[in-house]
Amino acid sequence: MNYTSYGLVNTQKMFSDALGNGYAVPAFNFYNMETLMAIMTAAQECRSPVILAVSESALKYMGSRMLMGMISGLGLDGKTPIALHLDHGGSVDACRAAVDLGFSSVMIDASKLSIDENIDITRTVVEYAHAHHVSVEAELGILAGIEDENTSSTYGNYTNPDDVVRFVHATGVDSLAIAIGTSHGAYKRKSDDEKLRFDILELIAEKLPSFPLVLHGASSVPGKLVDIINTYGGDMHGARGIAPDQLRMATSMNICKINVDSDSRLAFTAAMRSYLTQHPDVFDPRKYLGLARDMITQNCIDEIRTIMNSENRY
Ligand code: G3H
Ligand code: 13P
Ligand code: ZN
């Protein structure tokens, strides 16, 4: 089914608006009803465009019929900027299947392959997706922490600005995830002093001034959520994300999409741990799942306001 039947939009206009106005569209991952509702409530309350991101493993967890049933249940009108995006699609087949299901955007992540193989696979996905007006994101460079920097070449595992123009032109891709020091998960860096490689971002933006760039692994790992988890029996000592001022800087540059998954997982876990410890007699899941939903909504709202700068954009 085509995504327009679900009232979804692709990311084309979202990104040109974001690029022209110095903000980033948040891509929040979800994997069940509570996480989807939490993101949508934040988007509606802030009037922020949002990309609903589903990884391949999240798609498997929900099942495609259940997922698309929930998307249908949102009752979208095709005018509100809400996209459904396959996150880290690992193969051409996975991307094609997502297009056929009704996704309005797909990521093909062939970043671990050689650049020529990455170009071939990405171009194949672009041909299929564009025939259905679906947007395509690809990735160049390997996401890793600053501490993993490979000093044997100028850019190590970071995105080499010299490759970007060739890649974008050869593939026809709509946006590109770049590696400038972010990484997935809740343990990204040893101290807040570690900075992103804005020099690389600047060089890329100079070569492609009006091309949308994407930041993966961009959770800020709010200390207050980590503290709640640690207080109520968890052990996430040393968890640290990307400092919000670094992310704000990125959104004011050519980063048009910022991916956040870990922060919502932290909010979910903090809610569950604190609620169940404080209410040992409660066994109605709606009580603690409801709190989890509310805490994710609050965190998404905070990030829309303080990091993405995407409030009141429609
Ligand atoms: O970047 C990856 C996302 O955080 C999704 O992770 O495959 O565990 O759902 P997942
Ligand atoms: P985080 O682990 O920083 O939330 O990154 C999420 C992400 O990049 C999803 O693709
Ligand atoms: Zn990612």
Side-chain angles (χ1 to χ4, degrees):
M1 197 136 92
N2 188 274
Y3 63 86
T4 53
S5 323
Y6 292 96
L8 295 159
V9 301
N10 69 23
T11 59
Q12 208 168 17
K13 184 170 183 311
M14 278 186 184
F15 288 163
S16 58
D17 285 353
L19 200 57
N21 293 288
Y23 67 91
V25 179
F28 293 120
N29 288 70
F30 73 96
Y31 26 82
N32 63 8
M33 185 189 76
E34 282 76 15
T35 45
L36 175 59
M37 287 173 81
I39 297 162
M40 286 305 297
T41 303
Q44 280 153 359
E45 197 164 317
C46 296
R47 298 188 68 78
S48 169
V50 151
I51 294 169
L52 300 167
V54 179
S55 67
E56 283 195 64
S57 66
L59 177 52
K60 195 169 167 210
Y61 178 78
M62 290 182 276
S64 54
R65 283 168 69 107
M66 186 61 77
L67 164 62
M68 298 318 289
M70 288 196 293
I71 295 298
S72 173
L74 297 176
L76 300 173
D77 61 6
K79 297 190 186 85
T80 319
I82 308 287
L84 180 65
H85 172 77
L86 179 70
D87 191 27
H88 293 283
S91 65
V92 173
D93 284 351
C95 292
R96 279 200 183 125
V99 170
D100 295 347
L101 266 180
F103 281 59
S104 60
S105 173
V106 294
M107 174 190 190
I108 173 70
D109 181 357
S111 58
K112 290 197 169 61
L113 303 179
S114 72
I115 181 162
D116 289 322
E117 289 169 307
N118 191 347
I119 286 174
D120 277 352
I121 290 177
T122 301
R123 194 169 39 205
T124 308
V125 171
V126 167
E127 274 163 20
Y128 190 77
H130 281 186
H132 297 78
H133 307 286
V134 168
S135 315
V136 181
E137 172 185 326
E139 179 166 328
L140 205 50
I142 309 270
L143 254 65
I146 296 280
E147 66 274 18
D148 300 327
E149 186 167 3
N150 170 358
T151 49
S152 65
S153 71
T154 316
Y155 295 108
N157 284 332
Y158 298 124
T159 305
N160 184 337
D162 296 332
D163 291 339
V164 171
V165 175
R166 173 162 85 97
F167 186 88
V168 166
H169 288 155
T171 57
V173 79
D174 303 287
S175 63
L176 185 69
I178 56 167
I180 57 167
T182 58
S183 60
H184 292 110
Y187 299 85
K188 298 183 193 298
R189 31 196 48 211
K190 296 192 181 82
S191 92
D192 287 341
D193 296 337
E194 293 169 16
K195 305 282 185 232
L196 299 180
R197 290 287 303 269
F198 288 113
D199 57 323
I200 298 179
L201 177 52
E202 267 169 15
L203 280 173
I204 296 171
E206 257 169 40
K207 289 171 190 288
L208 291 171
S210 50
F211 187 76
L213 301 172
V214 175
L215 216 48
H216 279 248
S219 275
S220 50
V221 186
K224 61 185 176 194
L225 296 177
V226 175
D227 287 347
I228 295 172
I229 291 171
N230 289 337
T231 301
Y232 292 101
D235 182 0
M236 294 200 65
H237 296 90
R240 184 176 280 103
I242 309 296
D245 68 307
Q246 295 271 294
L247 295 168
R248 275 193 295 275
M249 172 83 143
T251 61
S252 72
M253 299 167 74
N254 282 25
I255 297 294
C256 293
K257 171 174 176 270
I258 290 202
N259 286 19
V260 169
D261 186 356
S262 294
D263 289 347
S264 299
R265 295 182 188 203
L266 289 169
F268 204 130
T269 304
M272 300 282 286
R273 283 198 177 277
S274 59
Y275 192 94
L276 290 171
T277 307
Q278 288 173 323
H279 304 87
D281 56 328
V282 173
F283 70 105
D284 179 351
R286 289 169 296 188
K287 295 280 193 295
Y288 41 88
L289 291 176
L291 179 64
R293 188 175 60 182
D294 293 348
M295 282 179 66
I296 294 170
T297 296
Q298 191 53 55
N299 190 69
C300 292
I301 290 174
D302 289 349
E303 296 192 351
I304 284 169
R305 292 190 173 143
T306 63
I307 290 174
M308 315 288 172
N309 189 25
S310 62
E311 193 172 20
N312 289 325
R313 299 295 179 173
Y314 68 86

Coordinates of all heavy atoms in Angstrom, one line a residue, residues 87-88 184 216-217 259, ligand 3:
D87 N 14.6 2.4 9.7 CA 15.9 2.9 10.3 C 16.9 1.7 10.0 O 16.7 0.6 10.4 CB 15.7 3.1 11.7 CG 16.9 3.8 12.4 OD1 17.6 4.5 11.7 OD2 17.0 3.6 13.7
H88 N 18.1 2.1 9.5 CA 19.2 1.1 9.3 C 18.7 -0.1 8.5 O 19.0 -1.3 8.9 CB 19.8 0.6 10.6 CG 20.5 1.7 11.3 ND1 21.8 2.1 11.0 CD2 20.1 2.5 12.4 CE1 22.1 3.1 11.8 NE2 21.2 3.4 12.6
H184 N 25.9 5.0 18.7 CA 24.7 4.5 19.2 C 24.8 4.0 20.7 O 25.9 3.7 21.1 CB 24.2 3.2 18.4 CG 23.8 3.6 17.0 ND1 24.5 3.3 15.9 CD2 22.7 4.3 16.5 CE1 23.9 3.7 14.8 NE2 22.8 4.3 15.2
H216 N 23.0 10.2 13.3 CA 22.6 9.1 14.1 C 23.3 9.1 15.5 O 24.2 9.8 15.7 CB 23.0 7.8 13.4 CG 22.1 7.4 12.3 ND1 21.2 6.3 12.4 CD2 21.8 8.0 11.1 CE1 20.5 6.2 11.3 NE2 20.8 7.3 10.5
G217 N 22.8 8.2 16.4 CA 23.5 8.1 17.7 C 23.6 9.4 18.4 O 24.6 9.7 19.0
N259 N 18.6 11.6 15.1 CA 18.0 10.3 15.6 C 18.1 10.1 17.1 O 19.3 10.1 17.6 CB 18.7 9.1 14.9 CG 18.4 9.0 13.4 OD1 17.9 9.9 12.8 ND2 18.7 7.8 12.9
Ligands
ZN3 ZN 21.2 4.9 13.9

